[in-house]
Amino acid sequence: MALVAERTQLPPATNMCVIAFEHLRPVVAADAVQVVLSDHHLWGGLRRSALLGGICETFGLGLSMHSNSHLGISLAAMTHLAAATPNLTYACDTHYPWDTEDVVRPGVLEFRDGSVAVPTGPGLGIELDEGALAALHEQYVTCDRRGREDTAYMRSIVPGFTPNTARW
């Protein structure tokens, strides 16, 4: 990524190879990444993510947030964190608009013109839908999946696929 950074005017960003605090020192030393795509779950919660924001500001790294398949509780936390992080100047991404089920009551986390307003109610500003939570819990209990497994999916597209994160 340092080689890419040398050869482009675009700021390289990642949520793949800079995923822990110990990855920051070599990234800064190599000038390899200009934007860290954080994830409040992966980086240790809201307080640790706020710490990451301060570290990125100190070293002149851009900051954004990446998410994957999360429910409204996570999106609400992400939205509050983004609003409370002044140096988070790149747009955050989320897969939330494609969710077909959620555990929060509708109406608060609605996207308008590509963004969602910071919820203003108590706590994270959302309310749980107890019925939806029970239904999704039942799905979890009766399914046979417990962990994320991207390799099997990739092998359905590329037989023989083997993950190799060392290349990053």
Side-chain angles (χ1 to χ4, degrees), residues 101-168:
E101 299 175 283
D102 200 356
V103 297
V104 299
R105 295 194 189 281
V108 175
L109 299 172
E110 293 183 4
F111 281 80
R112 291 198 173 88
D113 298 323
S115 63
V116 63
V118 178
T120 58
L124 291 175
I126 49 133
E127 291 182 50
L128 281 180
D129 179 329
E130 298 288 340
L133 178 61
L136 288 175
H137 175 71
E138 181 62 25
Q139 284 181 29
Y140 175 77
V141 168
T142 58
C143 79
D144 63 348
R145 295 184 186 206
R146 293 295 177 262
R148 182 172 173 163
E149 179 25 290
D150 295 334
T151 303
Y153 171 74
M154 286 300 296
R155 285 187 181 144
S156 73
I157 299 165
V158 180
F161 171 81
T162 303
N164 177 11
T165 56
R167 69 180 180 258
W168 299 110

Side-chain angles (χ1 to χ4, degrees), residues 13-15 37-40 63-70 74-75 78-79 82 88 90-98 111 114:
T14 185
N15 67 314
L37 302 177
S38 66
D39 175 326
H40 59 286
L63 183 62
S64 181
M65 282 192 271
H66 160 77
S67 73
N68 199 347
S69 304
H70 60 197
S74 179
L75 178 62
M78 180 181 179
T79 303
L88 196 150
Y90 289 89
C92 300
D93 78 55
T94 179
H95 297 197
Y96 185 78
W98 294 279
F111 281 80

